[in-house]
């Protein structure tokens, strides 16, 4: 191949695709609307503190290794990875929490201590989760979602029932202890859907959690973006920041370039790693595959209200990743998926990277990232942000038995309006389209446009789905598809 390829966006999927396409001999240029690359995985620096704006969990290290191995290298050539112990803790009440450690054996003991006999059930559950991981992450997710036949293999035929049961049903059938059930249902939230709407087969997320563990790249997730940037530029990729794309040029049914900042850039192929819905609005309606009605009917993963907080002291009774499940999950889930509204009592998550990584905060200080999952499309005001910050910080103080409000140096927030402004995100969603049964593989928006030749898509609204590892894979899938269709 020797094509001029334009890529819109510079998130994980776009950078991944850029690396593969450049390695095939193409001339690749990335156009990024923001000042810095990384898409949702950008970085915030303030007063000696460093925060990942977006993803904070590093799961499935094997997927990252597979990506870098495709270019003859390894993550360790670019960044230092530390396995977290504990991986995370989950609060249920004041000073009442369960800690998930770094090996399955330790986790079995934790379960057994919580509920006699549960470790045996967990071993059975994890055995299935591991085989599902081997099938899904090592094979199925590396298929381009072109045909339903991709999902039919001798192994998946044996597991067919797992596509028609749900995570919640499977977990609740075996685990009567509410706290353990919640912990087992938690990983599928990364897929953007409720446990009672997520096929059992997705228990592979539990293996990613308990079986492989949680890691932290020193310097934060942005180090992965910088590693991919370095790899891309070494392969000849040109990256243009502060270059918003205003239009995709379509001539006689074929994408022939873009207009960015008023300048026309011609190319043989256009690939968008930006929001799928937004990308289609860059063309006349006749060229769009999916109607507004189509998008409105889809199940979207949540948006988020995020706070980046600098504390002038070290915090206690928390881990690098800490979940707060002291309120009813089902009530909060209804506020996200069933009747979208601001939840009265939200669950929330907090990350304190400075507990692991000294580069995250000045000495004797703490960097805190707080996240509340929300329905996309909600009314987002500064007043609401302030109300919800006070809600969760008050609960945080109570649950962890410490005063922190007076130790806040600053806080910055990021919510629905920012997802729309910075990423052109549909309804301000944070994680893309949920991986429900009817939104899996070939049932997701396509990598290749059905209406415009030489136009392709990658990222969390297409195959294989939301999350950082799937985004890396999405970039590979679309690059291979482009290579297949444009070999000459």
């Amino acid at each position: 191949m020797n094509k001029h390829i334009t890529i819109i966006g510079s998130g994980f999927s776009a950078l991944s695709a850029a690396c593969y396409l450049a390695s095939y001999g193409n001339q690749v240029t990335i156009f990024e609307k923001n000042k810095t690359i990384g898409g949702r995985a950008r970085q915030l620096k303030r007063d000696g503190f460093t925060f990942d704006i977006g993803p904070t969990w590093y799961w499935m290290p094997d997927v990252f290794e597979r990506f870098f191995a495709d270019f003859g290298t390894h993550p360790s050539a670019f960044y230092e990875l530390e396995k977290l112990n504990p991986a995370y803790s989950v609060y249920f009440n004041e000073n009442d929490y369960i800690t998930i450690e770094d090996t399955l054996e330790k986790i079995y003991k934790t379960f057994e201590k919580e509920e006699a006999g549960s470790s045996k059930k967990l071993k059975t559950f994890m055995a299935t989760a591991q085989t599902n991981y081997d099938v899904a992450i090592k094979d199925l997710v590396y298929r381009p979602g072109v045909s339903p036949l991709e999902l039919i293999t001798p192994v998946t035929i044996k597991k067919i029932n797992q596509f028609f049961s749900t995570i919640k049903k499977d977990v609740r059938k075996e685990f009567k202890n509410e706290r353990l059930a919640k912990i087992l249902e938690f990983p599928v939230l990364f897929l953007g859907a409720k446990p009672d709407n997520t096929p059992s087969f997705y228990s592979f997320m539990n293996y990613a959690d308990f079986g492989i563990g949680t890691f932290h790249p020193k310097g934060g997730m942005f180090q992965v973006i910088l590693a991919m940037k370095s790899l891309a530029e070494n392969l000849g990729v040109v990256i243009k920041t502060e270059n918003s794309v205003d239009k995709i040029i379509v001539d006689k049914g074929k994408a022939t370039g873009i207009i960015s900042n008023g300048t026309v850039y011609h190319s043989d192929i256009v690939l968008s790693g930006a929001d799928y819905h937004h990308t289609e609005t860059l063309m006349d309606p006749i060229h769009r595959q999916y109607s507004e009605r189509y998008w409105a009917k889809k199940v979207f993963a949540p948006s988020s209200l995020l706070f980046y907080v600098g504390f002038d002291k070290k915090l206690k009774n928390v881990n690098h990743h800490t979940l707060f499940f002291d309120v009813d999950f089902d009530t909060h889930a209804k506020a996200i998926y069933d009747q979208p509204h601001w939840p009265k009592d939200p669950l929330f998550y907090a990350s304190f990277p400075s507990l692991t990584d000294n580069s995250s905060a000045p000495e004797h200080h703490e960097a805190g990232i707080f996240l509340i999952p929300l329905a996309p499309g909600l009314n987002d005001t500064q007043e609401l942000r302030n109300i919800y910050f006070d809600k969760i910080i008050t609960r945080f103080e109570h649950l962890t038995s410490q005063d922190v409000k007076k130790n806040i140096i600053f806080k910055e927030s990021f919510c629905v309006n920012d997802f729309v402004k910075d990423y052109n995100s549909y309804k301000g969603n944070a994680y893309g389209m949920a991986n429900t049964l009817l939104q899996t593989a070939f049932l997701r928006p396509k990598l290749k446009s059905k209406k415009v030749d030489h136009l392709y898509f990658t990222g969390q609204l297409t195959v294989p789905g939301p999350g950082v590892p799937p985004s890396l894979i999405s970039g590979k899938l679309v690059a291979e598809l482009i290579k297949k269709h444009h070999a000459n």
Side-chain angles (χ1 to χ4, degrees):
M1 287 183 75
N2 184 14
K3 307 285 185 187
H4 284 267
I5 300 177
T6 292
I7 297 181
I8 305 171
S10 66
F12 283 110
S13 58
L15 287 170
S16 169
C19 290
Y20 285 107
L21 289 167
S23 74
Y24 301 155
N26 299 295
Q27 298 172 57
V28 180
T29 305
I30 287 174
F31 290 79
E32 167 56 53
K33 77 186 285 282
N34 292 308
K35 287 182 180 178
T36 59
I37 65 162
R40 284 164 167 78
R42 292 178 302 150
Q43 195 177 60
L44 168 65
K45 284 180 175 281
R46 177 170 169 179
D47 301 344
F49 292 83
T50 302
F51 305 90
D52 281 314
I53 291 177
T56 54
W57 293 76
Y58 191 107
W59 273 7
M60 305 183 188
D62 49 314
V63 174
F64 294 85
E65 288 170 12
R66 186 165 170 176
F67 169 78
F68 285 103
D70 282 343
F71 303 97
T73 186
H74 189 271
S76 61
F78 299 94
Y79 54 88
E80 186 182 331
L81 207 56
E82 180 178 343
K83 188 171 187 182
L84 297 180
N85 185 33
Y88 56 90
S89 54
V90 185
Y91 268 89
F92 297 98
N93 219 316
E94 184 181 5
N95 290 321
D96 176 19
Y97 56 88
I98 292 177
T99 297
I100 300 300
E101 294 185 81
D102 60 342
T103 69
L104 264 174
E105 286 308 315
K106 292 175 187 174
I107 296 167
Y108 291 144
K109 286 175 183 172
T110 298
F111 268 58
E112 192 63 29
K113 186 178 171 186
E114 183 70 21
E115 180 188 352
S118 64
S119 62
K120 188 177 179 185
K121 292 176 182 176
L122 182 59
K123 283 175 185 174
T124 303
F125 183 83
M126 290 306 298
T128 302
Q130 182 171 2
T131 62
N132 287 353
Y133 189 91
D134 290 342
V135 172
I137 305 303
K138 296 178 182 176
D139 182 15
L140 289 186
V141 294
Y142 285 91
R143 301 182 183 205
V146 173
S147 161
L149 296 177
E150 293 171 10
L151 296 180
I152 301 172
T153 70
V155 179
T156 57
I157 287 170
K158 290 177 188 172
K159 291 179 175 284
I160 193 71
N161 290 341
Q162 289 191 46
F163 288 93
F164 297 99
S165 184
T166 69
I167 290 288
K168 183 164 189 173
K169 198 179 287 183
D170 287 7
V171 167
R172 300 284 168 162
K173 187 170 69 180
E174 296 297 335
F175 299 90
K176 305 307 175 193
N177 182 291
E178 182 70 18
R179 293 143 62 95
L180 297 182
K182 280 183 177 177
I183 290 172
L184 285 169
E185 289 168 357
F186 146 69
V188 301
L189 299 181
F190 285 104
L191 301 171
K194 293 190 293 184
D196 62 359
N197 202 20
T198 303
S200 303
F201 183 70
Y202 284 100
S203 68
F204 64 73
M205 293 296 290
N206 294 99
Y207 182 71
D209 178 2
F210 288 0
I212 302 176
T214 305
F215 296 76
H216 173 73
K218 188 172 182 186
M221 291 293 284
F222 190 64
Q223 298 307 310
V224 186
I225 290 291
L226 292 178
M228 296 175 76
K229 175 180 185 276
S230 173
L231 188 59
E233 289 179 336
N234 285 340
L235 289 162
V237 175
V238 175
I239 300 173
K240 294 175 177 284
T241 54
E242 297 185 88
N243 266 260
S244 182
V245 174
D246 311 307
K247 192 171 182 65
I248 294 172
I249 303 166
V250 181
D251 183 29
K252 296 176 184 172
K254 183 166 82 173
T256 60
I258 60 162
I259 299 174
S260 173
N261 293 352
T263 302
V264 174
Y265 295 89
H266 292 290
S267 59
D268 300 306
I269 293 161
V270 175
L271 165 62
S272 179
D275 179 272
Y276 204 123
H277 168 270
H278 168 72
T279 301
E280 291 218 311
T281 68
L282 299 176
M283 302 180 291
D284 295 333
I286 193 173
H287 300 308
R288 300 172 195 171
Q289 305 167 86
Y290 305 107
S291 66
E292 290 298 324
R293 190 162 167 265
Y294 169 90
W295 293 110
K297 288 169 70 175
K298 290 299 168 187
V299 179
F300 270 80
S303 185
S304 297
L305 170 53
L306 290 137
F307 296 101
Y308 311 98
V309 187
F311 296 95
D312 67 5
K313 70 172 184 179
K314 300 301 287 182
L315 303 188
K316 60 182 184 179
N317 302 331
V318 290
N319 286 311
H320 185 122
H321 296 298
T322 309
L323 303 160
F324 296 87
F325 284 5
D326 55 308
V327 297
D328 184 58
F329 172 83
D330 290 336
T331 303
H332 188 164
K334 280 177 188 168
I336 297 173
Y337 297 102
D338 303 335
Q339 297 162 324
H341 62 275
W342 282 84
K344 185 176 172 228
D345 296 307
L347 288 82
F348 66 99
Y349 151 73
S351 172
F352 303 98
S354 44
L355 289 172
T356 304
D357 189 341
N358 291 335
S359 68
S360 299
E363 194 176 1
H364 307 306
H365 291 58
E366 208 82 89
I369 302 167
F370 295 82
L371 181 153
I372 302 172
L374 295 173
L378 291 184
N379 181 42
D380 168 20
T381 67
Q382 190 58 52
E383 183 185 11
L384 280 165
R385 296 186 190 196
N386 291 340
I387 288 168
Y388 276 80
F389 183 73
D390 191 59
K391 271 180 189 268
I392 63 170
I393 285 295
T394 299
R395 274 171 49 205
F396 177 81
E397 287 187 322
H398 169 70
L399 292 164
T400 64
S401 300
Q402 61 187 319
D403 295 328
V404 300
K405 287 180 184 175
K406 65 180 185 297
N407 300 101
I408 294 171
I409 306 168
F410 66 83
K411 77 173 193 294
E412 294 198 17
S413 62
F414 199 95
C415 197
V416 174
N417 292 348
D418 301 298
F419 281 102
V420 173
K421 178 174 68 75
D422 287 4
Y423 312 128
N424 297 307
S425 168
Y426 180 73
K427 289 187 177 180
N429 81 81
Y431 308 108
M433 190 184 286
N435 257 339
T436 61
L437 178 61
L438 297 177
Q439 295 181 175
T440 291
F442 66 97
L443 296 172
R444 297 179 71 79
K446 302 297 183 188
L447 292 167
K448 182 180 185 296
S449 173
K450 296 177 287 186
K451 286 200 168 186
V452 178
D453 288 339
H454 296 210
L455 175 62
Y456 295 82
F457 300 83
T458 186
Q460 56 189 6
L461 290 184
T462 181
V463 182
V468 176
S471 292
L472 292 180
I473 295 166
S474 186
K476 178 174 185 172
L477 292 177
V478 76
E480 289 176 342
L481 206 59
I482 290 170
K483 184 181 181 184
K484 179 183 173 185
H485 291 146
H486 305 274
N488 298 320

